[in-house]
Amino acid sequence: MSGKLFLGFFLFVTIVFQSFVSDEAFHPYHVGSVEINYNSKSRTFEVTGRFFLDDMENGLGKKYGGAFHFNDEKYKAKLNDALQKYCSEYFKLKADNKFLKVNYIGYEEDQESVDIFLESEPVATPKKVETAVSFLYNLFDDQINIVHIIVNGQRSSEKLTYPNRYLYKQF
C-alpha cells in the first residue's frame, strides 16, 4: 500500500472511530508520512510531510510553548515561524554524502491533517540519499513516520518507528 493510501486509510479509520466516541477522544495511531521526491527539472528535492492536525499542534506547543491552532487565520504567522524552526530540527537530508540546505515553503491544512512543504537546494541527480526524520518524536514514543524517497521514478519506502530516525537508500 502506498504511503498516501496508508495515511489516508488511517485518517479515515480515525474519523470513523472518533464519530463513535466523544469529541474529546484522540486518534489511536500516531502516524505521519514524508515524501522526498527528486525533481530532475529543478534539480531539487521536493518534500511533503503529512501529519494529523492535532498532533502537530500539540508537538509545536510542547516544543515552543503556547497555543497553536491550524484553521485559525490569526495563528498563521506564528505557525509558519514555528514550523520553519521545527522542520529544520526534525528533518535532515543528505545527497551523495553532502548535507543539503532545506527550505521551508509553507503548509496547507484541512479538518484532520496538515501538509508541510519543504524544498532542498539544487543538487545533481543523487546516487545515495540519506535522511533523518523525527517529526513528532518530541511528543510521542510510538510515532511512526512512513518515508518515501523517489529518484528518477524509482520509489523506495520504509517505516520509521520511534526512536529510529535514519534512512539510507542507494539509487
Side-chain angles (χ1 to χ4, degrees), residues 30-85:
H30 302 119
V31 64
S33 71
V34 178
E35 183 172 285
I36 304 165
N37 188 19
Y38 183 74
N39 181 326
S40 58
K41 289 182 183 173
S42 65
R43 298 179 41 170
T44 62
F45 283 96
E46 298 168 345
V47 181
T48 303
R50 175 172 280 178
F51 306 94
F52 286 110
L53 199 93
D54 59 329
D55 289 352
M56 190 54 72
E57 288 173 342
N58 293 331
L60 294 173
K62 182 174 183 183
K63 179 73 178 167
Y64 303 111
F68 291 88
H69 300 289
F70 289 99
N71 295 311
D72 188 336
E73 194 62 33
K74 70 181 181 183
Y75 287 92
K76 192 163 186 72
K78 182 179 179 182
L79 281 164
N80 274 312
D81 182 54
L83 285 168
Q84 181 176 7
K85 288 188 250 177

Side-chain angles (χ1 to χ4, degrees), residues 14-164:
T14 299
I15 292 166
V16 170
F17 175 78
Q18 287 180 341
S19 69
F20 290 108
V21 296
S22 76
D23 289 338
E24 294 181 25
F26 294 98
H27 53 259
Y29 299 102
H30 302 119
V31 64
S33 71
V34 178
E35 183 172 285
I36 304 165
N37 188 19
Y38 183 74
N39 181 326
S40 58
K41 289 182 183 173
S42 65
R43 298 179 41 170
T44 62
F45 283 96
E46 298 168 345
V47 181
T48 303
R50 175 172 280 178
F51 306 94
F52 286 110
L53 199 93
D54 59 329
D55 289 352
M56 190 54 72
E57 288 173 342
N58 293 331
L60 294 173
K62 182 174 183 183
K63 179 73 178 167
Y64 303 111
F68 291 88
H69 300 289
F70 289 99
N71 295 311
D72 188 336
E73 194 62 33
K74 70 181 181 183
Y75 287 92
K76 192 163 186 72
K78 182 179 179 182
L79 281 164
N80 274 312
D81 182 54
L83 285 168
Q84 181 176 7
K85 288 188 250 177
Y86 192 86
C87 291
S88 71
E89 183 172 343
Y90 292 98
F91 180 80
K92 304 291 183 200
L93 185 62
K94 284 172 79 172
D96 297 325
N97 298 317
K98 178 188 177 241
F99 275 104
L100 299 178
K101 181 178 189 309
V102 178
N103 298 308
Y104 170 78
I105 303 300
Y107 72 91
E108 291 178 359
E109 79 274 8
D110 59 31
Q111 294 300 314
E112 294 293 326
S113 65
V114 60
D115 291 339
I116 300 169
F117 304 104
L118 309 169
E119 185 177 42
S120 77
E121 66 182 298
V123 63
T125 303
K127 303 260 185 290
K128 180 170 75 170
V129 178
E130 298 172 79
T131 188
V133 178
S134 54
F135 288 109
L136 298 172
Y137 283 12
N138 71 312
L139 188 62
F140 300 116
D141 64 3
D142 64 347
Q143 176 70 27
I144 297 168
N145 288 314
I146 300 163
V147 181
H148 311 282
I149 302 174
I150 305 159
V151 176
N152 291 332
Q154 184 181 350
R155 180 185 193 91
S156 182
S157 300
E158 197 159 320
K159 176 177 77 165
L160 297 176
T161 303
Y162 177 90
N164 185 14

